[in-house]
Amino acid sequence: MQLQITYTTGTGTTPLTFEDTDISHASVGTFATAAEFQRAAIQYAVDHAVPNSGLTQGVVSLSAGVFTVSAAGLSAADGVIRLPSNIVLEGVGMA
Protein backbone atom coordinates (compact mmCIF):
# COMPACT_ATOMS: atom_id res chain seq x y z
CA MET A 1 0.00 0.00 0.00
CA GLN A 2 1.28 3.45 -0.86
CA LEU A 3 1.72 5.90 2.02
CA GLN A 4 2.32 9.63 1.86
CA ILE A 5 3.55 12.21 4.33
CA THR A 6 3.08 15.84 3.35
CA TYR A 7 4.64 18.76 5.18
CA THR A 8 4.39 22.55 4.90
CA THR A 9 7.43 24.37 3.56
CA GLY A 10 6.62 28.04 4.05
CA THR A 11 5.33 28.53 0.51
CA GLY A 12 3.45 25.27 -0.08
CA THR A 13 3.74 21.59 0.75
CA THR A 14 6.20 18.81 -0.01
CA PRO A 15 5.17 15.14 -0.24
CA LEU A 16 7.17 12.04 0.70
CA THR A 17 5.57 9.06 -1.04
CA PHE A 18 6.58 5.44 -0.49
CA GLU A 19 5.26 1.89 -0.22
CA ASP A 20 4.46 0.54 3.24
CA THR A 21 7.21 -2.06 2.81
CA ASP A 22 9.94 0.40 1.71
CA ILE A 23 13.00 0.83 3.89
CA SER A 24 14.61 3.79 2.07
CA HIS A 25 13.95 7.15 0.45
CA ALA A 26 16.47 9.57 -1.05
CA SER A 27 15.53 12.34 1.42
CA VAL A 28 15.24 10.17 4.53
CA GLY A 29 17.90 7.46 4.22
CA THR A 30 17.95 3.66 4.43
CA PHE A 31 16.89 1.63 7.46
CA ALA A 32 16.78 -2.03 8.48
CA THR A 33 12.98 -2.28 8.75
CA ALA A 34 9.89 -0.57 7.36
CA ALA A 35 8.90 0.51 10.90
CA GLU A 36 12.26 2.24 11.45
CA PHE A 37 11.99 3.90 8.04
CA GLN A 38 8.43 5.11 8.61
CA ARG A 39 9.37 6.61 11.98
CA ALA A 40 12.33 8.35 10.36
CA ALA A 41 10.18 9.62 7.46
CA ILE A 42 7.66 11.13 9.88
CA GLN A 43 10.47 12.69 11.94
CA TYR A 44 12.08 14.05 8.75
CA ALA A 45 8.81 15.76 7.80
CA VAL A 46 8.36 17.14 11.34
CA ASP A 47 11.94 18.46 11.35
CA HIS A 48 11.51 20.14 7.95
CA ALA A 49 7.97 21.51 8.36
CA VAL A 50 7.63 25.27 8.66
CA PRO A 51 4.51 27.42 8.80
CA ASN A 52 3.12 28.56 5.45
CA SER A 53 2.61 32.27 4.94
CA GLY A 54 0.13 33.64 7.47
CA LEU A 55 0.16 30.52 9.67
CA THR A 56 1.76 30.15 13.09
CA GLN A 57 2.22 26.36 12.92
CA GLY A 58 3.75 23.94 10.46
CA VAL A 59 1.63 20.94 9.47
CA VAL A 60 2.60 17.32 8.81
CA SER A 61 -0.20 15.24 7.26
CA LEU A 62 -0.25 11.45 7.09
CA SER A 63 -2.24 9.77 4.33
CA ALA A 64 -4.84 7.11 4.94
CA GLY A 65 -3.17 3.86 5.87
CA VAL A 66 -1.27 2.26 8.71
CA PHE A 67 2.07 3.74 9.66
CA THR A 68 4.14 1.36 11.76
CA VAL A 69 6.37 3.01 14.34
CA SER A 70 8.07 0.90 16.95
CA ALA A 71 8.98 2.55 20.24
CA ALA A 72 10.86 1.12 23.17
CA GLY A 73 12.46 4.13 24.84
CA LEU A 74 12.70 7.91 24.84
CA SER A 75 15.07 8.72 21.97
CA ALA A 76 14.59 8.85 18.20
CA ALA A 77 16.71 5.70 17.95
CA ASP A 78 14.11 3.98 20.15
CA GLY A 79 11.22 4.95 17.87
CA VAL A 80 10.08 8.16 19.52
CA ILE A 81 8.84 11.00 17.30
CA ARG A 82 9.78 14.39 18.72
CA LEU A 83 7.03 16.90 17.93
CA PRO A 84 7.73 20.60 18.62
CA SER A 85 4.90 22.77 19.88
CA ASN A 86 4.69 24.71 16.59
CA ILE A 87 4.03 21.61 14.44
CA VAL A 88 0.64 19.94 13.98
CA LEU A 89 0.63 16.21 13.16
CA GLU A 90 -2.60 15.14 11.46
CA GLY A 91 -3.89 12.08 9.67
CA VAL A 92 -6.84 11.33 7.44
CA GLY A 93 -7.63 7.94 9.03
CA MET A 94 -7.29 4.26 8.36
CA ALA A 95 -7.29 2.86 4.84
Side-chain angles (χ1 to χ4, degrees):
M1 166 182 258
Q2 192 173 67
L3 299 174
Q4 186 173 64
I5 301 168
T6 305
Y7 59 96
T8 55
T9 61
T11 58
T13 59
T14 298
L16 294 173
T17 304
F18 50 90
E19 295 297 320
D20 60 356
T21 56
D22 285 353
I23 60 169
S24 68
H25 186 280
S27 296
V28 181
T30 301
F31 296 83
T33 68
E36 290 173 5
F37 168 70
Q38 289 175 28
R39 190 226 42 92
I42 294 168
Q43 189 65 61
Y44 177 89
V46 166
D47 292 346
H48 289 84
V50 295
N52 280 336
S53 179
L55 300 177
T56 58
Q57 296 180 311
V59 178
V60 175
S61 299
L62 306 180
S63 67
V66 177
F67 288 81
T68 304
V69 179
S70 63
L74 298 176
S75 73
D78 296 325
V80 171
I81 296 172
R82 298 196 182 275
L83 190 63
S85 61
N86 68 332
I87 301 297
V88 174
L89 181 61
E90 64 182 20
V92 298
M94 302 281 289

